[in-house]
Amino acid sequence: MNPGEPLGRTPVGPRSNGLAGHLVLVGLPGTGKSTVAPLLAAALDRGVIDLDSLIEQQAGCSVPQLFASVGEVGFRDHELAALHLSLAGPPVVLATGGGIVTTPEARRELRGSSVVWLRARTDTLVERLSTVGDAGVARPLLDTQGPAALKSRIEELSLDRTDLYQAVADVVVDVDDHTPTEVAQAIIVLLDEERT
């Protein structure tokens, strides 16, 4: 993507509510969901929820500890409950975990919200996740050794999840080579266009 190119495409999935209602960010780990969400919330004057943080509060332990104790299936149950709670209140900006789209129940729960798929090239994700320090510790499904293994795992997750992200997304924003502020601004423009 060139610096002068637009950051996103619209639509790829069901019609959204534009900027009205909940705004949900989905995408692979490292795409910037947790970083962009507070910027969007500030710009739109609404609350922000990081789903993994909410799950940790509800479970009383970290996501990796929860994964270790109940496995991925049990974690997805906790994730679904937190998603339902998050979307039951007033409109918020919601940063989800990368695997939110893997269960049909969660995908159904996302209907009615404006869903933005933050997308990045594999090399971008490897670079970001390799430079965040212990990023794999907070992401149990990315607990790998070294950049080559991390790249292989990201490619595998991308292959498994791309169609699922596309199925729920109202807009897609490619985040490569763009700042979180630029990404947030692009999301606002794209969703505002969705209303017209």
Side-chain angles (χ1 to χ4, degrees):
M1 175 172 289
N2 297 323
E5 287 184 34
L7 291 179
R9 299 184 299 158
T10 179
V12 299
R15 295 294 294 177
S16 74
N17 293 322
L19 293 172
H22 298 292
L23 199 164
V24 181
L25 304 180
V26 301
L28 289 173
T31 53
K33 300 178 298 290
S34 295
T35 303
V36 172
L39 299 174
L40 282 168
L44 299 172
D45 193 27
R46 67 177 66 171
V48 61
I49 297 174
D50 185 285
L51 201 60
D52 282 347
S53 296
L54 179 58
I55 293 166
E56 290 178 341
Q57 289 173 358
Q58 292 176 330
C61 63
S62 70
V63 167
Q65 290 169 329
L66 188 58
F67 253 83
S69 66
V70 300
E72 185 175 0
V73 172
F75 173 78
R76 297 297 172 207
D77 291 340
H78 283 269
E79 185 178 54
L80 182 61
L83 178 64
H84 181 74
L85 178 66
S86 300
L87 299 180
V92 296
V93 178
L94 179 63
T96 66
I100 193 71
V101 296
T102 60
T103 65
E105 297 84 4
R107 293 194 300 274
R108 278 194 295 275
E109 193 76 33
L110 292 173
R111 291 180 189 152
S113 298
S114 294
V115 180
V116 178
W117 174 16
L118 299 185
R119 186 173 61 182
R121 295 184 300 265
T122 300
D123 289 343
T124 298
L125 297 177
V126 170
E127 180 182 339
R128 288 181 178 187
L129 294 170
S130 297
T131 58
V132 177
D134 294 330
V137 172
R139 297 172 171 93
L141 293 180
L142 289 180
D143 192 11
T144 61
Q145 299 296 320
L150 179 61
K151 180 175 182 175
S152 176
R153 184 63 179 135
I154 290 170
E155 288 171 343
E156 181 182 329
L157 290 175
S158 179
L159 185 63
D160 290 345
R161 296 178 181 173
T162 292
D163 288 345
L164 300 175
Y165 291 135
Q166 187 164 335
V168 300
D170 296 296
V171 296
V172 181
V173 177
D174 292 308
V175 301
D176 305 285
D177 306 318
H178 295 285
T179 68
T181 299
E182 290 171 336
V183 172
Q185 290 169 345
I187 290 168
I188 291 169
V189 168
L190 287 167
L191 288 175
D192 197 42
E193 288 173 356
E194 280 285 287
R195 284 190 307 182
T196 59

